[in-house]
Amino acid sequence: MSTFAASHLSPSYPDRAAWGTAPKLRAWQQEAFDLYFRREPRDFLTVATPGAGKTTYALRIASELLANGVIRAVTVVTPTEHLKRQWADAAGRVGIGIDPEFKNSQGATSRDYIGVAVTYAQVAMHPALHRARTENRKTLVIFDEIHHAGDAKSWGDGVQEAFEPATRRLQLTGTPFRSDDNPIPFVGYEEDGEGLKRSVADYSYGYGPALDDGVVRPVIFLAYSGEMKWRTRAGDEIAATLGTPLTKDQLSQAWRAALDPKGDWIRQVMQAADRRLTEVRRGVPDAGGLVIATDHETARAYARHLRNITGEGATVVLSDDPGASKKIKQFGASEDRWLVAVRMVSEGVDIPRLCVGVYATSTSTPLFFAQAVGRFVRARKRGEMASVFLPSVPTLMGLANEMEVERDHVLNKKPPEDGLDDSLLEQANRQKDNPDVLGDELPFETMETSATFDRVLFDGGEFGTGAEVGSAEEEDFIGLPGLLEPDQVATLLRKRQSDQQAAKRKETVQEPRAALAPHEQIAELRRELNGLVGAWNHRTGQPHGVIHSELRRACGGPPIAQATAEQIRERIDTIRRWATQRR
């Protein structure tokens, strides 16, 4: 049975605690620690949102088990080479010697070490070796992001074989859900009454409770739409507006055009993100930014854009670069502005000073998105806020609005809908030398792209009325203070939204409507309402007709075809009000 951090325990807020070494356990860590030792389990699954402090918690358990003689060795299993070193560094600070350079070919490590850190892939290559090591000494196995053990059958089978004899197994994850049917080793599943099996956590600590406790940062998402124009392989020129209802193919191509470094959209969004970073640095002087790119070529192009924008070079980290760990560590300890990483977001980049992000990849799986956003939520002190810039794409907007949704791993479910298959996650940390393509070559050539500010998403609400890049309306949101409590963020966003709506109403009274003939005025209002209904459809999944019916019930009046200009304006105000509330 899952449980949450007790409200009567006050969390600790280490000002700048080293990674994995907070001197005092936070409320959730202490409660999970106490629960673990009340049960004394062989297997224990802890689900805690990225940035909550799973490493500190796990190492405290390891220290206690070593002190009590329950175990004599520790093995840490991680998804990436970089994380092996991070675990070894953190363990060393609490007196546990972990060898991050252990190779299968060695067979054994130095007696100076209490244990080793290995990757899931490394275990799968020689499970018998790791089984023998586990059998030789009473061992605690810590699985960092245990869901990765289901990435491939060989990984799951290897982990099962290698660590079945372990004295204790502690499974950790910030995102336990997967969209495939690969069972996660050593994780319990229960029937849910609908013929499905759901993973069962022994202790859960989600983003919502962590935000309430001040353990993670609030995140605002700044969405950008814009005009895209591209030429297909057949020579046809196509134009589309990102952020409006599009077919699947149109959306895919408009999205890729937006991310094309040859176009203006990505450059304008990075300029806006850099302005946001400057604002954040007024309150958080060492704040840094991360651009998440899809492949090596675009990453380097994005870095060139950032140099032109800022006058400073950006650190580029390529997924299989042997020096990636060193670059990440150096950037984390510096006050440099920008890091560009090729999909190195799945537990691969842990830099607490990251406060601003640009989601510049076409990967849209829930797991990848959650891990990407997890790079920005790690709080060092109360009040720090994170900002993530992204394209106005329905899948991403939906995921941003579901930040607080907790998911379990479900077996025997129906095949996932397009865009929700997490099988791409393993590829996320692998080398990407070329752009993602459909077929053997790029499916189109980008001709022109431009960005417009669409809206801000926060805590399930949507704010902003759309504006040109560089406008005062956009600046209202770009210029939000970098130090705000979650309730202050919501209050300020509502005020900015209200001010913008009041200004638009004033403009309407003073000029534009008088210049339009009645039929033109009504046609323009209908277009505006239909655009908002389309956006609400993307957010909620409700059919357009249902949304129009709800608006009519809420506001009164006839169907849209017979509605007056004033009645349509009332419906526009109503749906905008819905967007600022959590539903």
Side-chain angles (χ1 to χ4, degrees), residues 116-148:
V116 298
V118 295
T119 63
Y120 288 100
Q122 188 176 346
V123 172
M125 289 173 65
H126 202 334
L129 166 68
H130 296 279
R131 184 183 182 95
R133 296 190 73 260
T134 304
E135 288 175 331
N136 285 342
R137 290 196 294 174
K138 294 187 294 184
T139 301
L140 164 68
V141 182
I142 299 173
F143 296 100
D144 187 16
E145 304 298 348
I146 182 64
H147 56 271
H148 280 283

PDB file of all heavy atoms in Angstrom, residues 116-148:
ATOM      1  N   VAL A 116      30.151  -1.917  -5.782  1.00  0.00           N
ATOM      2  CA  VAL A 116      30.397  -1.433  -7.138  1.00  0.00           C
ATOM      3  C   VAL A 116      29.142  -0.755  -7.670  1.00  0.00           C
ATOM      4  O   VAL A 116      28.027  -0.967  -7.179  1.00  0.00           O
ATOM      5  CB  VAL A 116      30.788  -2.603  -8.081  1.00  0.00           C
ATOM      6  CG1 VAL A 116      32.063  -3.263  -7.617  1.00  0.00           C
ATOM      7  CG2 VAL A 116      29.644  -3.621  -8.203  1.00  0.00           C
ATOM      8  N   ALA A 117      29.342   0.064  -8.692  1.00  0.00           N
ATOM      9  CA  ALA A 117      28.229   0.641  -9.452  1.00  0.00           C
ATOM     10  C   ALA A 117      28.339   0.122 -10.876  1.00  0.00           C
ATOM     11  O   ALA A 117      29.407   0.203 -11.500  1.00  0.00           O
ATOM     12  CB  ALA A 117      28.284   2.165  -9.427  1.00  0.00           C
ATOM     13  N   VAL A 118      27.262  -0.424 -11.393  1.00  0.00           N
ATOM     14  CA  VAL A 118      27.243  -1.014 -12.731  1.00  0.00           C
ATOM     15  C   VAL A 118      25.982  -0.538 -13.456  1.00  0.00           C
ATOM     16  O   VAL A 118      25.061  -0.010 -12.837  1.00  0.00           O
ATOM     17  CB  VAL A 118      27.259  -2.562 -12.664  1.00  0.00           C
ATOM     18  CG1 VAL A 118      28.566  -3.065 -12.072  1.00  0.00           C
ATOM     19  CG2 VAL A 118      26.074  -3.087 -11.844  1.00  0.00           C
ATOM     20  N   THR A 119      25.941  -0.735 -14.773  1.00  0.00           N
ATOM     21  CA  THR A 119      24.751  -0.371 -15.541  1.00  0.00           C
ATOM     22  C   THR A 119      23.902  -1.621 -15.794  1.00  0.00           C
ATOM     23  O   THR A 119      24.390  -2.748 -15.709  1.00  0.00           O
ATOM     24  CB  THR A 119      25.117   0.258 -16.893  1.00  0.00           C
ATOM     25  OG1 THR A 119      25.808  -0.702 -17.689  1.00  0.00           O
ATOM     26  CG2 THR A 119      25.992   1.497 -16.690  1.00  0.00           C
ATOM     27  N   TYR A 120      22.634  -1.384 -16.135  1.00  0.00           N
ATOM     28  CA  TYR A 120      21.748  -2.508 -16.473  1.00  0.00           C
ATOM     29  C   TYR A 120      22.298  -3.277 -17.657  1.00  0.00           C
ATOM     30  O   TYR A 120      22.243  -4.519 -17.683  1.00  0.00           O
ATOM     31  CB  TYR A 120      20.339  -1.978 -16.793  1.00  0.00           C
ATOM     32  CG  TYR A 120      19.595  -1.480 -15.579  1.00  0.00           C
ATOM     33  CD1 TYR A 120      19.519  -0.122 -15.290  1.00  0.00           C
ATOM     34  CD2 TYR A 120      18.985  -2.369 -14.703  1.00  0.00           C
ATOM     35  CE1 TYR A 120      18.853   0.344 -14.165  1.00  0.00           C
ATOM     36  CE2 TYR A 120      18.303  -1.917 -13.575  1.00  0.00           C
ATOM     37  CZ  TYR A 120      18.244  -0.559 -13.313  1.00  0.00           C
ATOM     38  OH  TYR A 120      17.588  -0.102 -12.197  1.00  0.00           O
ATOM     39  N   ALA A 121      22.846  -2.564 -18.645  1.00  0.00           N
ATOM     40  CA  ALA A 121      23.406  -3.229 -19.816  1.00  0.00           C
ATOM     41  C   ALA A 121      24.603  -4.096 -19.428  1.00  0.00           C
ATOM     42  O   ALA A 121      24.783  -5.208 -19.941  1.00  0.00           O
ATOM     43  CB  ALA A 121      23.817  -2.195 -20.858  1.00  0.00           C
ATOM     44  N   GLN A 122      25.428  -3.604 -18.508  1.00  0.00           N
ATOM     45  CA  GLN A 122      26.605  -4.334 -18.052  1.00  0.00           C
ATOM     46  C   GLN A 122      26.198  -5.640 -17.363  1.00  0.00           C
ATOM     47  O   GLN A 122      26.812  -6.688 -17.575  1.00  0.00           O
ATOM     48  CB  GLN A 122      27.388  -3.435 -17.086  1.00  0.00           C
ATOM     49  CG  GLN A 122      28.741  -3.957 -16.656  1.00  0.00           C
ATOM     50  CD  GLN A 122      29.479  -2.938 -15.776  1.00  0.00           C
ATOM     51  OE1 GLN A 122      29.092  -1.772 -15.705  1.00  0.00           O
ATOM     52  NE2 GLN A 122      30.516  -3.395 -15.110  1.00  0.00           N
ATOM     53  N   VAL A 123      25.155  -5.573 -16.556  1.00  0.00           N
ATOM     54  CA  VAL A 123      24.669  -6.779 -15.875  1.00  0.00           C
ATOM     55  C   VAL A 123      24.152  -7.783 -16.895  1.00  0.00           C
ATOM     56  O   VAL A 123      24.424  -8.991 -16.803  1.00  0.00           O
ATOM     57  CB  VAL A 123      23.555  -6.418 -14.870  1.00  0.00           C
ATOM     58  CG1 VAL A 123      22.904  -7.678 -14.294  1.00  0.00           C
ATOM     59  CG2 VAL A 123      24.108  -5.552 -13.743  1.00  0.00           C
ATOM     60  N   ALA A 124      23.393  -7.296 -17.892  1.00  0.00           N
ATOM     61  CA  ALA A 124      22.807  -8.190 -18.892  1.00  0.00           C
ATOM     62  C   ALA A 124      23.876  -8.906 -19.716  1.00  0.00           C
ATOM     63  O   ALA A 124      23.643 -10.012 -20.213  1.00  0.00           O
ATOM     64  CB  ALA A 124      21.889  -7.398 -19.826  1.00  0.00           C
ATOM     65  N   MET A 125      25.066  -8.302 -19.839  1.00  0.00           N
ATOM     66  CA  MET A 125      26.142  -8.910 -20.618  1.00  0.00           C
ATOM     67  C   MET A 125      26.777 -10.103 -19.902  1.00  0.00           C
ATOM     68  O   MET A 125      27.316 -11.002 -20.545  1.00  0.00           O
ATOM     69  CB  MET A 125      27.211  -7.862 -20.942  1.00  0.00           C
ATOM     70  CG  MET A 125      26.762  -6.823 -21.959  1.00  0.00           C
ATOM     71  SD  MET A 125      27.978  -5.491 -22.149  1.00  0.00           S
ATOM     72  CE  MET A 125      29.354  -6.411 -22.851  1.00  0.00           C
ATOM     73  N   HIS A 126      26.733 -10.140 -18.575  1.00  0.00           N
ATOM     74  CA  HIS A 126      27.376 -11.238 -17.831  1.00  0.00           C
ATOM     75  C   HIS A 126      26.653 -11.437 -16.500  1.00  0.00           C
ATOM     76  O   HIS A 126      27.222 -11.223 -15.420  1.00  0.00           O
ATOM     77  CB  HIS A 126      28.844 -10.906 -17.591  1.00  0.00           C
ATOM     78  CG  HIS A 126      29.708 -12.113 -17.330  1.00  0.00           C
ATOM     79  ND1 HIS A 126      29.218 -13.285 -16.798  1.00  0.00           N
ATOM     80  CD2 HIS A 126      31.048 -12.327 -17.525  1.00  0.00           C
ATOM     81  CE1 HIS A 126      30.192 -14.158 -16.660  1.00  0.00           C
ATOM     82  NE2 HIS A 126      31.319 -13.607 -17.117  1.00  0.00           N
ATOM     83  N   PRO A 127      25.393 -11.869 -16.535  1.00  0.00           N
ATOM     84  CA  PRO A 127      24.641 -12.012 -15.283  1.00  0.00           C
ATOM     85  C   PRO A 127      25.241 -13.038 -14.319  1.00  0.00           C
ATOM     86  O   PRO A 127      25.149 -12.877 -13.094  1.00  0.00           O
ATOM     87  CB  PRO A 127      23.245 -12.437 -15.758  1.00  0.00           C
ATOM     88  CG  PRO A 127      23.432 -12.933 -17.151  1.00  0.00           C
ATOM     89  CD  PRO A 127      24.569 -12.179 -17.709  1.00  0.00           C
ATOM     90  N   ALA A 128      25.873 -14.088 -14.850  1.00  0.00           N
ATOM     91  CA  ALA A 128      26.440 -15.119 -13.975  1.00  0.00           C
ATOM     92  C   ALA A 128      27.537 -14.536 -13.085  1.00  0.00           C
ATOM     93  O   ALA A 128      27.663 -14.906 -11.907  1.00  0.00           O
ATOM     94  CB  ALA A 128      26.986 -16.271 -14.810  1.00  0.00           C
ATOM     95  N   LEU A 129      28.352 -13.630 -13.649  1.00  0.00           N
ATOM     96  CA  LEU A 129      29.405 -12.985 -12.860  1.00  0.00           C
ATOM     97  C   LEU A 129      28.797 -12.210 -11.691  1.00  0.00           C
ATOM     98  O   LEU A 129      29.253 -12.324 -10.549  1.00  0.00           O
ATOM     99  CB  LEU A 129      30.202 -12.033 -13.755  1.00  0.00           C
ATOM    100  CG  LEU A 129      31.109 -11.033 -13.019  1.00  0.00           C
ATOM    101  CD1 LEU A 129      32.261 -11.755 -12.338  1.00  0.00           C
ATOM    102  CD2 LEU A 129      31.632  -9.965 -13.982  1.00  0.00           C
ATOM    103  N   HIS A 130      27.758 -11.439 -11.982  1.00  0.00           N
ATOM    104  CA  HIS A 130      27.166 -10.602 -10.937  1.00  0.00           C
ATOM    105  C   HIS A 130      26.384 -11.457  -9.926  1.00  0.00           C
ATOM    106  O   HIS A 130      26.300 -11.088  -8.747  1.00  0.00           O
ATOM    107  CB  HIS A 130      26.288  -9.533 -11.576  1.00  0.00           C
ATOM    108  CG  HIS A 130      27.071  -8.571 -12.419  1.00  0.00           C
ATOM    109  ND1 HIS A 130      27.771  -7.511 -11.886  1.00  0.00           N
ATOM    110  CD2 HIS A 130      27.322  -8.557 -13.770  1.00  0.00           C
ATOM    111  CE1 HIS A 130      28.394  -6.866 -12.860  1.00  0.00           C
ATOM    112  NE2 HIS A 130      28.138  -7.483 -14.007  1.00  0.00           N
ATOM    113  N   ARG A 131      25.866 -12.583 -10.371  1.00  0.00           N
ATOM    114  CA  ARG A 131      25.215 -13.500  -9.429  1.00  0.00           C
ATOM    115  C   ARG A 131      26.238 -14.069  -8.451  1.00  0.00           C
ATOM    116  O   ARG A 131      25.991 -14.129  -7.249  1.00  0.00           O
ATOM    117  CB  ARG A 131      24.524 -14.636 -10.196  1.00  0.00           C
ATOM    118  CG  ARG A 131      23.740 -15.586  -9.270  1.00  0.00           C
ATOM    119  CD  ARG A 131      23.128 -16.752 -10.030  1.00  0.00           C
ATOM    120  NE  ARG A 131      22.361 -17.595  -9.136  1.00  0.00           N
ATOM    121  CZ  ARG A 131      21.054 -17.485  -8.954  1.00  0.00           C
ATOM    122  NH1 ARG A 131      20.360 -16.570  -9.612  1.00  0.00           N
ATOM    123  NH2 ARG A 131      20.423 -18.301  -8.105  1.00  0.00           N
ATOM    124  N   ALA A 132      27.391 -14.468  -8.993  1.00  0.00           N
ATOM    125  CA  ALA A 132      28.437 -15.021  -8.124  1.00  0.00           C
ATOM    126  C   ALA A 132      28.898 -13.988  -7.101  1.00  0.00           C
ATOM    127  O   ALA A 132      29.091 -14.303  -5.913  1.00  0.00           O
ATOM    128  CB  ALA A 132      29.613 -15.510  -8.970  1.00  0.00           C
ATOM    129  N   ARG A 133      29.065 -12.735  -7.530  1.00  0.00           N
ATOM    130  CA  ARG A 133      29.479 -11.680  -6.604  1.00  0.00           C
ATOM    131  C   ARG A 133      28.414 -11.461  -5.534  1.00  0.00           C
ATOM    132  O   ARG A 133      28.721 -11.198  -4.373  1.00  0.00           O
ATOM    133  CB  ARG A 133      29.732 -10.373  -7.354  1.00  0.00           C
ATOM    134  CG  ARG A 133      30.885 -10.435  -8.354  1.00  0.00           C
ATOM    135  CD  ARG A 133      31.250  -9.064  -8.891  1.00  0.00           C
ATOM    136  NE  ARG A 133      31.954  -8.278  -7.879  1.00  0.00           N
ATOM    137  CZ  ARG A 133      31.419  -7.343  -7.127  1.00  0.00           C
ATOM    138  NH1 ARG A 133      30.128  -7.062  -7.254  1.00  0.00           N
ATOM    139  NH2 ARG A 133      32.127  -6.696  -6.238  1.00  0.00           N
ATOM    140  N   THR A 134      27.139 -11.539  -5.938  1.00  0.00           N
ATOM    141  CA  THR A 134      26.031 -11.331  -4.996  1.00  0.00           C
ATOM    142  C   THR A 134      25.963 -12.469  -3.982  1.00  0.00           C
ATOM    143  O   THR A 134      25.645 -12.246  -2.806  1.00  0.00           O
ATOM    144  CB  THR A 134      24.702 -11.219  -5.773  1.00  0.00           C
ATOM    145  OG1 THR A 134      24.810 -10.171  -6.739  1.00  0.00           O
ATOM    146  CG2 THR A 134      23.539 -10.919  -4.848  1.00  0.00           C
ATOM    147  N   GLU A 135      26.237 -13.683  -4.431  1.00  0.00           N
ATOM    148  CA  GLU A 135      26.177 -14.851  -3.536  1.00  0.00           C
ATOM    149  C   GLU A 135      27.347 -14.871  -2.551  1.00  0.00           C
ATOM    150  O   GLU A 135      27.227 -15.403  -1.441  1.00  0.00           O
ATOM    151  CB  GLU A 135      26.179 -16.136  -4.359  1.00  0.00           C
ATOM    152  CG  GLU A 135      24.870 -16.384  -5.100  1.00  0.00           C
ATOM    153  CD  GLU A 135      24.942 -17.602  -6.013  1.00  0.00           C
ATOM    154  OE1 GLU A 135      26.049 -17.915  -6.508  1.00  0.00           O
ATOM    155  OE2 GLU A 135      23.889 -18.219  -6.230  1.00  0.00           O
ATOM    156  N   ASN A 136      28.485 -14.302  -2.950  1.00  0.00           N
ATOM    157  CA  ASN A 136      29.684 -14.389  -2.116  1.00  0.00           C
ATOM    158  C   ASN A 136      29.576 -13.580  -0.827  1.00  0.00           C
ATOM    159  O   ASN A 136      30.196 -13.929   0.180  1.00  0.00           O
ATOM    160  CB  ASN A 136      30.915 -13.924  -2.912  1.00  0.00           C
ATOM    161  CG  ASN A 136      31.357 -14.968  -3.923  1.00  0.00           C
ATOM    162  OD1 ASN A 136      30.987 -16.135  -3.814  1.00  0.00           O
ATOM    163  ND2 ASN A 136      32.121 -14.531  -4.923  1.00  0.00           N
ATOM    164  N   ARG A 137      28.841 -12.457  -0.862  1.00  0.00           N
ATOM    165  CA  ARG A 137      28.677 -11.637   0.339  1.00  0.00           C
ATOM    166  C   ARG A 137      27.227 -11.181   0.454  1.00  0.00           C
ATOM    167  O   ARG A 137      26.547 -10.981  -0.559  1.00  0.00           O
ATOM    168  CB  ARG A 137      29.595 -10.410   0.284  1.00  0.00           C
ATOM    169  CG  ARG A 137      31.066 -10.733   0.430  1.00  0.00           C
ATOM    170  CD  ARG A 137      31.879  -9.482   0.751  1.00  0.00           C
ATOM    171  NE  ARG A 137      31.892  -8.527  -0.351  1.00  0.00           N
ATOM    172  CZ  ARG A 137      32.446  -7.312  -0.266  1.00  0.00           C
ATOM    173  NH1 ARG A 137      32.997  -6.919   0.882  1.00  0.00           N
ATOM    174  NH2 ARG A 137      32.453  -6.498  -1.298  1.00  0.00           N
ATOM    175  N   LYS A 138      26.767 -11.024   1.671  1.00  0.00           N
ATOM    176  CA  LYS A 138      25.405 -10.526   1.878  1.00  0.00           C
ATOM    177  C   LYS A 138      25.305  -9.126   1.269  1.00  0.00           C
ATOM    178  O   LYS A 138      25.989  -8.205   1.713  1.00  0.00           O
ATOM    179  CB  LYS A 138      25.072 -10.495   3.369  1.00  0.00           C
ATOM    180  CG  LYS A 138      25.010 -11.873   4.013  1.00  0.00           C
ATOM    181  CD  LYS A 138      24.512 -11.807   5.445  1.00  0.00           C
ATOM    182  CE  LYS A 138      25.492 -11.071   6.360  1.00  0.00           C
ATOM    183  NZ  LYS A 138      25.038 -11.086   7.770  1.00  0.00           N
ATOM    184  N   THR A 139      24.482  -9.000   0.241  1.00  0.00           N
ATOM    185  CA  THR A 139      24.508  -7.794  -0.592  1.00  0.00           C
ATOM    186  C   THR A 139      23.164  -7.072  -0.611  1.00  0.00           C
ATOM    187  O   THR A 139      22.106  -7.697  -0.722  1.00  0.00           O
ATOM    188  CB  THR A 139      24.894  -8.159  -2.043  1.00  0.00           C
ATOM    189  OG1 THR A 139      26.181  -8.784  -2.037  1.00  0.00           O
ATOM    190  CG2 THR A 139      24.941  -6.916  -2.936  1.00  0.00           C
ATOM    191  N   LEU A 140      23.239  -5.729  -0.510  1.00  0.00           N
ATOM    192  CA  LEU A 140      22.106  -4.869  -0.812  1.00  0.00           C
ATOM    193  C   LEU A 140      22.273  -4.406  -2.260  1.00  0.00           C
ATOM    194  O   LEU A 140      23.311  -3.854  -2.621  1.00  0.00           O
ATOM    195  CB  LEU A 140      22.075  -3.635   0.103  1.00  0.00           C
ATOM    196  CG  LEU A 140      21.169  -2.473  -0.356  1.00  0.00           C
ATOM    197  CD1 LEU A 140      19.694  -2.860  -0.278  1.00  0.00           C
ATOM    198  CD2 LEU A 140      21.450  -1.204   0.447  1.00  0.00           C
ATOM    199  N   VAL A 141      21.255  -4.611  -3.081  1.00  0.00           N
ATOM    200  CA  VAL A 141      21.277  -4.110  -4.460  1.00  0.00           C
ATOM    201  C   VAL A 141      20.326  -2.913  -4.529  1.00  0.00           C
ATOM    202  O   VAL A 141      19.145  -3.028  -4.195  1.00  0.00           O
ATOM    203  CB  VAL A 141      20.850  -5.180  -5.473  1.00  0.00           C
ATOM    204  CG1 VAL A 141      20.949  -4.628  -6.893  1.00  0.00           C
ATOM    205  CG2 VAL A 141      21.704  -6.426  -5.331  1.00  0.00           C
ATOM    206  N   ILE A 142      20.862  -1.766  -4.943  1.00  0.00           N
ATOM    207  CA  ILE A 142      20.058  -0.563  -5.136  1.00  0.00           C
ATOM    208  C   ILE A 142      19.836  -0.401  -6.637  1.00  0.00           C
ATOM    209  O   ILE A 142      20.792  -0.232  -7.398  1.00  0.00           O
ATOM    210  CB  ILE A 142      20.761   0.688  -4.566  1.00  0.00           C
ATOM    211  CG1 ILE A 142      20.986   0.537  -3.062  1.00  0.00           C
ATOM    212  CG2 ILE A 142      19.934   1.943  -4.862  1.00  0.00           C
ATOM    213  CD1 ILE A 142      21.821   1.662  -2.454  1.00  0.00           C
ATOM    214  N   PHE A 143      18.592  -0.483  -7.065  1.00  0.00           N
ATOM    215  CA  PHE A 143      18.258  -0.306  -8.481  1.00  0.00           C
ATOM    216  C   PHE A 143      17.830   1.136  -8.696  1.00  0.00           C
ATOM    217  O   PHE A 143      16.747   1.544  -8.259  1.00  0.00           O
ATOM    218  CB  PHE A 143      17.120  -1.245  -8.883  1.00  0.00           C
ATOM    219  CG  PHE A 143      17.455  -2.712  -8.784  1.00  0.00           C
ATOM    220  CD1 PHE A 143      17.034  -3.462  -7.695  1.00  0.00           C
ATOM    221  CD2 PHE A 143      18.181  -3.337  -9.783  1.00  0.00           C
ATOM    222  CE1 PHE A 143      17.329  -4.808  -7.600  1.00  0.00           C
ATOM    223  CE2 PHE A 143      18.484  -4.690  -9.693  1.00  0.00           C
ATOM    224  CZ  PHE A 143      18.065  -5.434  -8.603  1.00  0.00           C
ATOM    225  N   ASP A 144      18.671   1.906  -9.348  1.00  0.00           N
ATOM    226  CA  ASP A 144      18.332   3.299  -9.655  1.00  0.00           C
ATOM    227  C   ASP A 144      17.476   3.324 -10.924  1.00  0.00           C
ATOM    228  O   ASP A 144      17.899   2.847 -11.968  1.00  0.00           O
ATOM    229  CB  ASP A 144      19.614   4.103  -9.858  1.00  0.00           C
ATOM    230  CG  ASP A 144      19.351   5.589 -10.015  1.00  0.00           C
ATOM    231  OD1 ASP A 144      18.241   6.043  -9.668  1.00  0.00           O
ATOM    232  OD2 ASP A 144      20.248   6.294 -10.496  1.00  0.00           O
ATOM    233  N   GLU A 145      16.275   3.901 -10.828  1.00  0.00           N
ATOM    234  CA  GLU A 145      15.320   3.932 -11.936  1.00  0.00           C
ATOM    235  C   GLU A 145      15.079   2.515 -12.453  1.00  0.00           C
ATOM    236  O   GLU A 145      15.400   2.161 -13.592  1.00  0.00           O
ATOM    237  CB  GLU A 145      15.806   4.867 -13.048  1.00  0.00           C
ATOM    238  CG  GLU A 145      16.099   6.289 -12.583  1.00  0.00           C
ATOM    239  CD  GLU A 145      14.871   7.011 -12.014  1.00  0.00           C
ATOM    240  OE1 GLU A 145      13.739   6.516 -12.179  1.00  0.00           O
ATOM    241  OE2 GLU A 145      15.060   8.079 -11.393  1.00  0.00           O
ATOM    242  N   ILE A 146      14.456   1.714 -11.589  1.00  0.00           N
ATOM    243  CA  ILE A 146      14.266   0.286 -11.831  1.00  0.00           C
ATOM    244  C   ILE A 146      13.467  -0.002 -13.104  1.00  0.00           C
ATOM    245  O   ILE A 146      13.589  -1.078 -13.692  1.00  0.00           O
ATOM    246  CB  ILE A 146      13.571  -0.371 -10.607  1.00  0.00           C
ATOM    247  CG1 ILE A 146      13.372  -1.882 -10.775  1.00  0.00           C
ATOM    248  CG2 ILE A 146      12.232   0.295 -10.325  1.00  0.00           C
ATOM    249  CD1 ILE A 146      14.648  -2.669 -10.864  1.00  0.00           C
ATOM    250  N   HIS A 147      12.655   0.966 -13.555  1.00  0.00           N
ATOM    251  CA  HIS A 147      11.869   0.709 -14.767  1.00  0.00           C
ATOM    252  C   HIS A 147      12.744   0.403 -15.977  1.00  0.00           C
ATOM    253  O   HIS A 147      12.287  -0.213 -16.936  1.00  0.00           O
ATOM    254  CB  HIS A 147      10.937   1.891 -15.081  1.00  0.00           C
ATOM    255  CG  HIS A 147      11.637   3.202 -15.217  1.00  0.00           C
ATOM    256  ND1 HIS A 147      11.870   4.039 -14.148  1.00  0.00           N
ATOM    257  CD2 HIS A 147      12.189   3.804 -16.295  1.00  0.00           C
ATOM    258  CE1 HIS A 147      12.512   5.103 -14.564  1.00  0.00           C
ATOM    259  NE2 HIS A 147      12.720   4.995 -15.856  1.00  0.00           N
ATOM    260  N   HIS A 148      14.016   0.811 -15.929  1.00  0.00           N
ATOM    261  CA  HIS A 148      14.911   0.520 -17.047  1.00  0.00           C
ATOM    262  C   HIS A 148      15.204  -0.971 -17.174  1.00  0.00           C
ATOM    263  O   HIS A 148      15.614  -1.427 -18.237  1.00  0.00           O
ATOM    264  CB  HIS A 148      16.230   1.274 -16.888  1.00  0.00           C
ATOM    265  CG  HIS A 148      16.140   2.698 -17.315  1.00  0.00           C
ATOM    266  ND1 HIS A 148      16.142   3.090 -18.627  1.00  0.00           N
ATOM    267  CD2 HIS A 148      16.012   3.832 -16.589  1.00  0.00           C
ATOM    268  CE1 HIS A 148      16.039   4.405 -18.705  1.00  0.00           C
ATOM    269  NE2 HIS A 148      15.956   4.879 -17.481  1.00  0.00           N
TER     270      HIS A 148
END
